């Protein structure tokens, strides 16, 4: 016990930080910043969201450089209509990610953009009633044209009509076909186009919660009315394919923008494999995500999954504990601000010092 009557200098031994191995911080000196990477590295030596952003770049770089790590990118929050699609294309084209899990809306708006159609800035003087009457669908401060969605439905119909009416397909298989359509018909860049060209699967677990999902159901109803056969969507094909990919790689990392169903669906693969191992006595190795970066402003105290920490995920068997080598970073800020900075900084690092090629299983 501490002797409360002892001299204060005997109770407290003031340390200097260095002797305990603490990492010193440094002022952000803009006069020494010449690149995005300079800025992000300097921010890592500051505090609050700036430090979080700098640390997130380090973790993303580490998982990309790990040649035996499958990197999964999960996406929510309408990032394509927010004009972040080409940032994602860059990550796909440069081989940073090997699988995508997304909301359906994000892929639908991205497809609109990839066909050369335009999104518009919302003008607050227009009421939502007026927007509806003119065919403008509002997503916060951005507008999607209903005419563009009608045009995409025609493309979806054409893609489905080329498929075997007796076949089943997953969301990833459907998106690959949409990506191939873009390769053959659209000159510009697009998420599904890049994913198809790089053989990156795009899973949408809540597939019917999207414009593309509605288009598919419209096609199904049309075929029923006309007495024709039609291919059938099977969500479990996605789960099986994704689990196989997780098993095929020695390690896994996750880069999450937003949260919601894409985040949880991607993260549930390790518990799913463990459940099969225990309940079905399957000879399967344990898998845990060993890297993680989350860009999402939702705080923990709201209780939703989007604010769930990686530490909480450890309790579910989804992530390796930090003391066992897990590396995680969580940036509680808007991804339209943080994502481009992180991607550009990491891109500069990898251009200056290219990583070893990924040891893609089966190739």
């Amino acid at each position: 016990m501490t002797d409360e009557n002892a001299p204060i200098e005997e109770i407290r031994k003031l340390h200097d930080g260095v002797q305990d191995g603490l990492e010193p911080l440094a002022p952000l000196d803009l006069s020494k910043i010449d690149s995005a990477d300079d800025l992000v590295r300097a921010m890592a030596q500051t505090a609050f969201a700036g430090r979080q952003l700098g640390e997130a770049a380090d973790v993303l770089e580490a998982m990309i450089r790990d040649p035996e790590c499958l990197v999964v990118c999960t996406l929510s929050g309408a990032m394509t209509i927010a004009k972040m699609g080409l940032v994602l294309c860059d990550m796909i084209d440069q081989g940073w990610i090997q699988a995508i899990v997304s909301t359906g809306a994000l892929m639908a708006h991205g497809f609109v953009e990839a066909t050369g159609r335009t999104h518009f800035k919302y003008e607050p003087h227009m009421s939502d009633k007026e927007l509806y009457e003119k065919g403008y669908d509002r997503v916060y401060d951005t507008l999607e044209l209903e005419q563009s969605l009608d045009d995409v439905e025609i493309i979806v119909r054409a893609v489905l009509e080329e498929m075997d009416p007796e076949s089943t397909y997953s969301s990833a298989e459907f998106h690959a076909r949409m990506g191939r359509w873009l390769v053959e018909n659209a000159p510009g860049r697009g998420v599904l186009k890049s994913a198809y060209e790089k053989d990156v699967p795009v899973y949408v677990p809540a597939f019917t919660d999207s414009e593309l999902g509605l288009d598919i159901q419209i096609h199904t109803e049309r075929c029923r009315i006309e007495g024709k056969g039609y291919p059938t969507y099977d969500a479990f094909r996605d789960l099986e394919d994704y689990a196989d990919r997780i098993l095929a790689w020695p390690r896994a990392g996750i880069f999450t923008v937003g949260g919601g169903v894409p985040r949880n669906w991607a993260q549930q693969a390790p518990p799913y494999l463990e459940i099969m191992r225990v309940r079905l006595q399957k000879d399967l190795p344990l898998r845990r995500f060993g890297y993680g970066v989350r860009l999402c402003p939702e705080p923990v105290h709201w209780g939703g999954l989007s604010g769930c920490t990686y530490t909480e995920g450890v309790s579910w068997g989804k992530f390796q504990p930090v003391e066992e080598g897990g590396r995680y970073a969580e940036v509680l800020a808007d991804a339209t601000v943080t994502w481009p900075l992180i991607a550009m900084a990491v891109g500069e690092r990898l251009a200056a010092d290219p990583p070893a090629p990924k040891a893609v299983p089966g190739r």
Side-chain angles (χ1 to χ4, degrees):
M1 294 179 63
T2 301
D3 184 356
E4 295 181 356
N5 296 318
I8 190 68
E9 62 270 16
E10 294 182 10
I11 298 175
R12 299 184 69 199
K13 301 295 184 182
L14 304 183
H15 290 204
D16 63 3
V18 175
Q19 68 198 90
D20 290 315
L22 301 182
E23 183 178 349
L25 300 180
L28 182 60
D29 187 348
L30 295 179
S31 69
K32 297 180 180 179
I33 303 300
D34 296 315
S35 67
D37 188 30
D38 287 347
L39 177 60
V40 169
R41 288 184 186 274
M43 291 170 71
Q45 301 302 310
T46 61
F48 312 139
R51 186 195 300 169
Q52 294 171 355
L53 187 145
E55 292 174 347
D58 293 340
V59 177
L60 176 60
E61 179 188 6
M63 70 174 93
I64 293 170
R65 288 193 181 278
D66 186 338
E68 295 186 323
C69 177
L70 169 79
V71 179
V72 181
C73 178
T74 81
L75 301 157
S76 66
M79 288 293 105
T80 47
I81 200 170
K83 304 294 108 182
M84 296 292 109
L86 295 186
V87 178
L88 180 57
C89 286
D90 287 341
M91 295 179 72
I92 299 170
D93 295 341
Q94 296 175 60
W96 295 6
I97 52 181
Q98 287 71 54
I100 294 172
V101 185
S102 174
T103 62
L106 204 149
M107 287 301 124
H109 297 310
F111 191 84
V112 167
E113 181 179 80
T115 60
R117 291 166 173 82
T118 303
H119 297 118
F120 292 87
K121 179 180 176 180
Y122 162 60
E123 295 295 341
H125 66 81
M126 300 178 71
S127 71
D128 287 299
K129 180 177 181 294
E130 180 183 359
L131 295 178
Y132 169 76
E133 292 170 348
K134 294 182 175 179
Y136 297 145
D137 301 325
R138 183 162 73 89
V139 180
Y140 185 46
D141 62 357
T142 306
L143 301 177
E144 176 71 270
L145 275 61
E146 190 66 26
Q147 182 61 57
S148 295
L149 299 178
D150 288 345
D151 294 342
V152 167
E153 189 269 334
I154 296 172
I155 298 171
V156 171
R157 188 192 317 175
V159 168
L160 291 172
E161 287 177 346
E162 292 180 353
M163 297 172 62
D164 180 354
E166 302 299 321
S167 65
T168 60
Y169 61 93
S170 65
S171 70
E173 291 165 328
F174 171 76
H175 288 120
R177 288 179 176 271
M178 295 293 280
R180 185 175 69 185
W181 187 94
L182 289 172
V183 169
E184 295 172 350
N185 297 278
R189 301 175 70 196
V191 173
L192 291 180
K193 186 175 187 177
S194 289
Y196 176 78
E197 292 175 328
K198 295 296 182 179
D199 194 25
V200 172
V202 178
Y203 306 102
V204 173
F207 193 38
T208 56
D209 181 24
S210 71
E211 190 74 25
L212 294 180
L214 295 181
D215 291 344
I216 288 174
Q217 186 61 21
I218 291 297
H219 176 74
T220 298
E221 291 297 325
R222 181 180 289 110
C223 289
R224 288 171 177 167
I225 292 171
E226 297 175 358
K228 296 163 53 178
Y230 51 87
T232 305
Y233 165 61
D234 182 355
F236 289 101
R237 291 172 68 94
D238 283 317
L239 178 60
E240 292 172 356
D241 183 73
Y242 179 63
D244 287 344
R245 290 174 191 266
I246 292 290
L247 279 172
W249 291 72
R251 288 180 292 282
I254 189 167
F255 178 81
T256 290
V257 176
V261 171
R263 179 187 179 189
N264 191 58
W265 190 88
Q267 291 178 179
Q268 76 175 355
Y272 168 63
L273 295 171
E274 184 174 350
I275 289 169
M276 286 201 295
R277 174 175 167 162
V278 174
R279 298 179 188 174
L280 302 180
Q281 301 298 302
K282 287 201 170 188
D283 184 17
L284 297 173
L286 290 176
R287 285 286 184 268
R288 301 284 187 269
F289 285 99
Y291 304 91
V293 171
R294 177 171 71 98
L295 312 179
C296 180
E298 185 172 333
V300 174
H301 63 259
W302 285 352
L305 179 73
S306 298
C308 164
T309 63
Y310 287 126
T311 299
E312 183 178 316
V314 171
S315 76
W316 286 84
K318 299 174 181 179
F319 295 93
Q320 292 178 357
V322 172
E323 55 268 28
E324 295 179 11
R327 292 191 60 183
Y328 311 110
E330 304 182 60
V331 188
L332 305 182
D334 188 336
T336 61
V337 177
T338 57
W339 187 10
L341 280 171
I342 291 171
M344 192 166 185
V346 172
E348 290 176 1
R349 299 178 193 182
L350 299 179
D353 181 17
K358 289 281 185 179
V360 181
R363 293 189 185 177

